[in-house]
Amino acid sequence: MDIVYDAETAGGFNQHHPDFRNLFLGWGHGYGKNFFIDQKKIDPVFCFSSDDLLIGHNLKYDLKCLKKEGHEADWFKSVYDTQVACNLIREDLTSYKLEFLSQIFGYEFPNYKQLIDFDDPSYAEDSDLYIYNEHDLRATKLLHTATAPILKRQGKWRAFSMLMEFLKVLAEVEWKGIQVDEEYLNTFGCEWKAKREETLRHIEAAGFHCDP
């Protein structure tokens, strides 16, 4: 089964920030008039099969929102990021935001993003956020339906599939972070700074002017 997923959040974009919170998770499945929407305050029960295809736009962000709720980012064996798909298909575009792409691919309500003013701190309490989320889900489903055959026709499906495997790993890495030896890093930086200054002195001594 194809599952379209979009998290509505507040408090910035860093899932580890103390102000960050998931407001609710939006799920959609089915086709056309039989496209069913399920929007919940965070439900601890993960009711979908790992064999389902998880579809999202900028999916890496939403996978980390799942991690915030204690679910594994690699729960789904197969994922589909419509933002990446559109990037592969239309490298000429200047924006890959959902509202822009939904217009290009003919979503019937292209101006739905105007429903919510995200500059207003009270947007998290706006009941229209559920309508907004439903449009996000439907627009993302449209992009998936449109882009999948194009990727295959253009011979880009294998590259896209590899990117989707990488996306799951990258979401996990970004969530856990990478340990850095700060003392070693500072020492290493000092060493290279000294080498750079020595190289510049040799260049100057050879009669060449170098603007560092």
Side-chain angles (χ1 to χ4, degrees):
M1 182 166 60
D2 293 349
I3 307 297
V4 187
Y5 161 56
D6 179 56
E8 297 301 339
T9 64
F13 300 100
N14 181 357
Q15 286 87 350
H16 290 296
H17 194 280
D19 292 338
F20 180 90
R21 68 189 192 279
N22 288 320
L23 299 174
F24 63 88
L25 306 181
W27 306 92
H29 59 90
Y31 299 90
K33 294 181 179 179
N34 295 318
F35 186 73
F36 299 100
I37 304 292
D38 184 13
Q39 297 162 315
K40 298 182 178 180
K41 295 296 182 181
I42 309 307
D43 186 351
V45 180
F46 216 47
C47 56
F48 299 117
S49 167
S50 61
D51 291 325
D52 293 331
L53 172 66
L54 184 65
I55 304 165
H57 195 79
N58 189 19
L59 186 57
K60 178 164 63 70
Y61 174 83
D62 294 294
L63 287 176
K64 289 186 288 184
C65 292
L66 281 182
K67 291 287 291 183
K68 183 78 172 177
E69 300 308 314
H71 302 303
E72 295 302 320
D74 60 352
W75 170 264
F76 287 93
K77 295 178 183 177
S78 301
V79 298
Y80 192 106
D81 190 331
T82 53
Q83 187 177 67
V84 176
C86 290
N87 197 308
L88 283 174
I89 293 170
R90 292 289 307 271
E91 297 180 16
D92 59 308
L93 298 179
T94 58
S95 173
Y96 295 92
K97 291 183 177 180
L98 184 55
E99 57 265 38
F100 180 69
L101 294 169
S102 65
Q103 295 180 36
I104 291 179
F105 284 87
Y107 184 57
E108 59 182 329
F109 302 106
N111 298 318
Y112 74 90
K113 291 288 184 178
Q114 298 176 11
L115 283 168
I116 301 296
D117 180 7
F118 286 100
D119 292 328
D120 182 351
S122 66
Y123 80 85
E125 311 302 325
D126 193 333
S127 60
D128 283 344
L129 193 59
Y130 287 90
I131 302 175
Y132 173 94
N133 178 260
E134 179 177 346
H135 282 297
D136 266 356
L137 294 171
R138 292 184 181 278
T140 300
K141 177 62 178 178
L142 171 69
L143 291 183
H144 168 251
T145 302
T147 57
I150 298 175
L151 287 170
K152 294 174 182 178
R153 188 166 63 247
Q154 292 182 348
K156 297 177 179 178
W157 184 256
R158 184 177 179 183
F160 175 76
S161 299
M162 292 173 64
L163 286 172
M164 292 303 96
E165 289 301 312
F166 176 68
L167 182 145
K168 291 190 291 183
V169 174
L170 187 57
E172 188 75 18
V173 170
E174 288 187 3
W175 175 260
K176 292 182 177 178
I178 300 174
Q179 287 188 327
V180 175
D181 187 331
E182 188 174 351
E183 182 178 350
Y184 172 77
L185 190 64
N186 290 334
T187 301
F188 190 68
C190 291
E191 290 177 358
W192 277 101
K193 183 178 180 180
K195 290 180 180 179
R196 175 178 176 275
E197 291 174 350
E198 182 181 0
T199 301
L200 289 175
R201 286 196 296 270
H202 285 306
I203 293 174
E204 295 283 354
F208 296 97
H209 175 70
C210 184
D211 185 3

